[in-house]
Amino acid sequence: MSSPNLDDFRARYEQHVRHVKSGDMKAAIADMVQANLATVFDGVQVPRAAVEKAEIVGVHADGDTLVGEAIYHLADGPVGLRSIWENHDGQWLAVKLENFTADAPETTA
């Protein structure tokens, strides 16, 4: 399998982060594997509405998956959110979410 194109993914991930930042949760959820929606948010802190500021702190490949990391600045403090994406029929979709410490992200790109 060829390696994923990080530039193409970065553009897709930037669009996803813009959806979350603007509070367009319908569009943000459309970027996810629908079969995973029942559990993808379990135990993960995520923005539930528009946020003042969002910054992408990392995008990298991890085998056949791609990972995007962003910090969302909520009223009660920053939230580091990592999303793991897989290619489904030619489209990158998020399959898993996890939090990371916002003031010290584990990875950068």
Side-chain angles (χ1 to χ4, degrees):
M1 174 178 255
S2 64
S3 63
N5 183 321
L6 279 180
D7 290 333
D8 289 346
F9 174 68
R10 179 177 286 279
R12 172 117 170 95
Y13 184 64
E14 287 172 352
Q15 178 183 37
H16 175 76
V17 170
R18 281 192 303 272
H19 291 316
V20 175
K21 182 180 183 249
S22 70
D24 187 351
M25 297 310 161
K26 183 176 180 180
I29 288 172
D31 289 338
M32 302 178 148
V33 172
Q34 299 303 294
N36 293 12
L37 290 180
T39 60
V40 75
F41 298 105
D42 288 350
V44 180
Q45 183 180 7
V46 299
R48 302 281 183 198
V51 298
E52 183 176 313
K53 181 179 175 187
E55 56 189 308
I56 295 172
V57 296
V59 172
H60 67 273
D62 185 9
D64 291 337
T65 63
L66 293 174
V67 179
E69 296 177 322
I71 296 175
Y72 297 96
H73 296 270
L74 310 180
D76 58 349
V79 171
L81 187 60
R82 178 180 299 117
S83 54
I84 294 85
W85 298 63
E86 293 178 349
N87 193 314
H88 288 259
D89 298 322
Q91 182 178 18
W92 288 97
L93 297 172
V95 296
K96 182 179 178 183
L97 299 174
E98 56 193 37
N99 292 117
F100 63 89
T101 303
D103 58 3
E106 293 177 12
T107 61
T108 60

